[in-house]
Amino acid sequence: MPASPSSCSRSAIVTRLRDAGCVFAEDEARLLIAAARTPAELADMVDQRATGLPLEHVLRWAEFCGLRIAVEPRVFVPRRRSEFLVSEAVGLAREDAQRPRPVVVDLCCGSGAVGAALAAALGPVELHSVDIEPAAVRCARRNLVAAGGQVYEGDLYQPLPPTLRGRVDILVANAPYVPTQAIGLLPAEARVHEPPVTLDGGADGLDVLRRVIEAAPLWLALGGHLLVETSERQAPHAAEAVARSGLIPRVASSEELSATVVVGTRPAAVDR
Ligand SMILES: C[S@@+](CC[C@H](N)C(=O)[O-])C[C@H]1O[C@@H](n2cnc3c(N)ncnc32)[C@H](O)[C@@H]1O
């Protein structure tokens, strides 16, 4: 049962959050009041939020594609813009009705949000998710139990079973893609509370993504698709890397979500 806000009144919480710079103080107060089980827990949660911990880390969940995704402190909070990556992947998976239980791989899965949303949208999938951070792997395991997803800890493709080679229908990666120099410009919630490994993509932001793209043809099935999230500025460079790897590149973007996705499709077999 939610804690009664009487000892720490709703308006006092709103004021505290607003003074701490929370733009949506009313909404946040409502969520914190609903989540806390005791007045002491509520006071503690308000303190955490007022000192800058991201709301999702205080609540221990984030909303993504209409799902409630568990997130622990120091695990990347899934962003609304990544819902575009999901919708593009769902569209491509549905185009290929011959695959009743598509094989989906989510590299750099973080909390597992992207894979969970794909499984929820597509129905039965064979889902494999990978992250290098133990906290993220723990979270992803919790979030992917219902979908029967396998979660591996390690560097990109390295922990995946070799039997997946040439079988992956949808390969998604929302990898770190912030250029190192730009990390200092991020809001404190990301800069302070999300570890560099979740954000830092090297000098131009594409270091991890280039490795994802380079090895993708080895894992994709014929006609399978790689989808990676990038910034708008990075997209042409990522698309060049996709073409160099032998995949057919395409760039998709959503103005509404300020999101860019680079798609690479492995050509289907040619009839001789
Ligand atoms: C930007 S976050 C995205 C998380 C998740 N895909 C999402 O959209 O919420 C990037 C994730 O990549 C993971 N990561 C970074 N380098 C990695 C690597 N070499 N292999 C596997 N995971 C990696 C980080 O731990 C982090 O969880």
Side-chain angles (χ1 to χ4, degrees):
M1 185 196 292
S4 154
S6 53
S7 59
C8 188
S9 83
R10 179 183 295 264
S11 66
I13 294 173
V14 171
T15 304
R16 175 102 193 272
L17 295 176
R18 195 167 286 135
D19 289 351
C22 302
V23 179
F24 303 105
E26 300 263 359
D27 294 336
E28 295 200 6
R30 185 177 42 76
L31 289 167
L32 293 173
I33 290 165
R37 284 160 302 180
T38 64
E41 188 174 29
L42 177 58
D44 189 40
M45 290 170 94
V46 172
D47 279 349
Q48 288 180 29
R49 181 63 186 129
T51 53
L53 197 65
L55 177 69
E56 294 82 357
H57 286 157
V58 179
L59 294 171
R60 305 266 172 158
W61 59 268
E63 190 182 326
F64 185 72
C65 291
L67 302 175
R68 196 176 267 215
I69 302 292
V71 280
E72 287 181 24
R74 311 214 39 90
V75 173
F76 185 86
V77 175
R79 306 295 204 262
R80 175 93 208 288
R81 84 166 69 85
S82 302
E83 295 185 358
F84 184 60
L85 177 68
V86 173
S87 67
E88 286 291 301
V90 168
L92 288 169
R94 285 194 180 139
E95 267 175 22
D96 200 342
Q98 285 168 334
R99 294 174 169 138
R101 187 169 179 255
V103 177
V104 174
V105 167
D106 179 11
L107 294 182
C108 300
C109 69
S111 63
V114 171
L118 287 174
L122 293 173
V125 292
E126 181 184 330
L127 175 61
H128 302 264
S129 300
V130 180
D131 203 281
I132 202 161
E133 268 290 300
V137 169
R138 253 193 328 269
C139 249
R141 289 200 172 122
R142 281 170 63 196
N143 287 316
L144 296 176
V145 161
Q150 295 287 315
V151 185
Y152 311 86
E153 182 180 322
D155 179 26
L156 300 184
Y157 300 92
Q158 169 269 319
L160 289 172
T163 49
L164 276 179
R165 288 190 187 152
R167 287 188 54 228
V168 180
D169 300 305
I170 297 289
L171 172 49
V172 284
N174 180 21
Y177 61 84
V178 182
T180 307
Q181 292 298 323
I183 289 183
L185 307 174
L186 293 176
E189 288 188 1
R191 191 168 26 84
V192 176
H193 298 286
E194 291 174 327
V197 69
T198 69
L199 304 168
D200 193 343
D204 66 352
L206 291 173
D207 282 2
V208 183
L209 281 174
R210 269 189 289 268
R211 291 170 56 217
V212 169
I213 292 167
E214 202 180 325
L218 181 66
W219 296 86
L220 285 175
L222 294 175
H225 309 280
L226 164 72
L227 299 98
V228 298
E229 186 176 299
T230 67
S231 70
E232 195 182 351
R233 205 146 51 114
Q234 291 165 335
H237 306 289
E240 277 168 28
V242 165
R244 270 198 308 276
S245 78
L247 302 177
I248 302 163
R250 177 170 70 81
V251 177
S253 51
S254 159
E255 217 169 290
E256 188 196 345
L257 293 175
S258 305
T260 305
V261 168
V262 176
V263 181
T265 299
R266 186 171 170 204
V270 185
D271 289 337
R272 287 170 194 264

